[in-house]
Amino acid sequence: MSPLSRRDLVTRGLALGLSWSSLAALLQACGPATPRASDDPDATLGAVEPELHIYTWSDYLAPEVVRDFGERFHVRVSVDTSESNEEMVAKLAVGGGGYDVIVPSSYLLPVLTGMGALQVLKRRYLTGLGNVAPTFRDTPNDPGGRYAVPFAWGTTGIAYRSDLVAAPPTSWGVFEDPALSGRMTMMDEAREVLGAFLRYRGHSLNSSVPAELAAARADALVAKPLLKAYLSAPVKAQLVAGDVWVAQLWNGDTYQARAEQARSGAGTIAFALPTEGSQLWLDTLAIPATAAHPRAAHEFLDYCLRPEVAAANAAFNRYGSPNEAAQRLITEPIPYPSAAELARLEYLKDLGRDAATWDRIWTEVKAS
Ligand code: N2P
């Protein structure tokens, strides 16, 4: 299928009200996109362009990293942020948004490459790849590391105010506790909310078994009236203010909130990894096929691979750094999960055609 007809399909699909994941499944079913010149890993690019447009998660890239890169390479850098993978893919599906660098979670890489949305990285410009820890190289979601460079890894769990809750939460079941009604949030992302309830009932968070998904939907509907909102990273301010006591959140964002709160005195925001298990994720830097500034994008990826730059990003976002060479430069490096924690953690996998079922359930939950 040619890139044009793929784009056409996306436009028409969105007009018909299809969700991005249904579209992605459809595009994957159409087979790989026609090879393009941008897919040659040995290609040479032109000079560093004077502009770079980055689309990343909020509170993820250290502002000084962006500023210093711009100054050193004489590049005007813009940074837009999103709060979920779903938001990011929706934007890409309607034409890329003009971005040169995006930060997808690794489970999305097969979806994005299936859509023809990413370009193969040009290895000659990525001189710092050797700094990446072996466990994060050549992962099943990106064999050979052709499309993405690992940026950060982390877990999803429960952020809570230890001074305000009666007991530290240990289970995803906390989101069904009426005593906490109006004081809780879950994240605004299907894979997080339904995934949490799948684990709660002892299932894989990649499940596509109808009965298991029906149970996750039922749990999500029990929790929904007790939630203040579906809110991801921006919940940090409400945790600090004490408006929210229990929030489904990632570890690094929780540590950011704790540090923010500690600046004004107390340090009572804590993170719990539920006993039923949770998600382990790896976020990556990738370059859209449509990037107008591919050489500046490669330079930025390589810049982020420098140990001192990876350390600056990790100190800012408080997530685990896949950059082995950066570890000794980080004051409080996030330790890799213990063996007991690892046994409870699961990587997301692309849902393929089952994504449509998940979408339908999530839409029903949100609309209820
Ligand atoms: C950024 C958190 C991103 C982690 N604030 C989720 N993949």
Side-chain angles (χ1 to χ4, degrees):
M1 198 177 219
S2 76
L4 185 66
S5 57
R6 295 170 83 82
R7 202 173 307 133
D8 199 36
L9 179 58
V10 168
T11 315
R12 282 172 196 210
L14 287 172
L16 288 170
L18 286 180
S19 68
W20 69 263
S21 45
S22 319
L23 280 168
L26 205 59
L27 285 166
Q28 275 180 305
C30 296
T34 320
R36 300 156 300 193
S38 63
D39 284 344
D40 175 5
D42 297 319
T44 309
L45 300 168
V48 177
E49 303 86 359
E51 261 179 74
L52 182 71
H53 302 290
I54 303 174
Y55 190 39
T56 178
W57 303 73
S58 63
D59 302 326
Y60 222 18
L61 281 172
E64 72 268 24
V65 165
V66 174
R67 186 199 59 215
D68 293 352
F69 173 81
E71 283 172 8
R72 280 172 197 236
F73 292 85
H74 308 289
V75 173
R76 204 166 51 249
V77 186
S78 75
V79 179
D80 282 352
T81 56
S82 76
E83 301 301 342
S84 71
N85 279 303
E86 289 166 13
E87 199 181 324
M88 182 200 68
V89 177
K91 198 150 193 176
L92 286 181
V94 287
Y99 295 114
D100 303 303
V101 174
I102 58 171
V103 191
S105 292
S106 63
Y107 79 92
L108 273 183
L109 294 171
V111 180
L112 294 173
T113 54
M115 287 169 74
L118 299 181
Q119 60 175 273
V120 168
L121 300 176
K122 318 298 178 282
R123 316 289 285 196
R124 71 176 73 230
Y125 301 107
L126 301 177
T127 58
L129 275 178
N131 295 333
V132 176
T135 34
F136 293 111
R137 282 187 223 159
D138 194 19
T139 59
N141 282 321
D142 182 24
R146 279 167 59 81
Y147 289 97
V149 167
F151 176 74
W153 64 269
T155 57
T156 301
I158 304 169
Y160 64 98
R161 285 283 301 248
S162 59
D163 55 332
L164 298 174
V165 297
T170 55
S171 162
W172 289 120
V174 71
F175 293 103
E176 298 188 355
D177 182 354
L180 291 164
S181 179
R183 296 292 185 186
M184 302 188 289
T185 58
M186 293 189 84
M187 285 196 273
D188 194 7
E189 187 146 20
R191 298 299 309 258
E192 297 284 8
V193 174
L194 300 177
F197 287 123
L198 281 165
R199 293 297 312 201
Y200 180 45
R201 299 293 174 184
H203 308 307
S204 163
L205 43 73
N206 292 303
S207 175
S208 56
V209 178
E212 297 176 3
L213 284 171
R217 176 183 183 275
D219 277 315
L221 288 173
V222 172
K224 191 179 174 193
L226 307 177
L227 302 179
K228 191 162 187 274
Y230 289 114
L231 193 60
S232 299
V235 77
K236 292 187 294 254
Q238 298 193 36
L239 278 167
V240 172
D243 295 336
V244 168
W245 299 356
V246 173
Q248 183 189 30
L249 194 59
W250 306 294
N251 57 341
D253 277 75
T254 306
Y255 303 142
Q256 288 173 30
R258 183 171 62 192
E260 169 69 30
Q261 188 202 28
R263 277 192 278 278
S264 59
T268 58
I269 295 173
F271 181 76
L273 205 55
T275 47
E276 302 96 0
S278 186
Q279 189 194 144
L280 175 70
W281 47 258
L282 172 68
D283 287 346
T284 66
L285 301 172
I287 306 180
T290 52
H293 312 103
R295 178 68 194 275
H298 279 82
E299 291 300 338
F300 185 75
L301 265 52
D302 202 39
Y303 188 66
C304 286
L305 283 167
R306 293 185 189 188
E308 68 282 9
V309 175
N313 278 327
F316 175 77
N317 62 34
R318 296 175 189 255
Y319 282 102
S321 176
N323 192 308
E324 201 165 38
Q327 280 303 85
R328 65 191 159 75
L329 304 176
I330 302 169
T331 322
E332 290 175 71
I334 304 292
Y336 201 66
S338 67
E341 283 172 333
L342 266 184
R344 286 190 276 147
L345 293 170
E346 219 184 332
Y347 272 110
L348 289 192
K349 292 196 187 94
D350 171 34
L351 297 166
R353 288 168 177 271
D354 296 317
T357 313
W358 276 68
D359 275 340
R360 183 178 45 73
I361 294 174
W362 182 235
T363 308
E364 287 164 7
V365 170
K366 291 283 291 273
S368 76

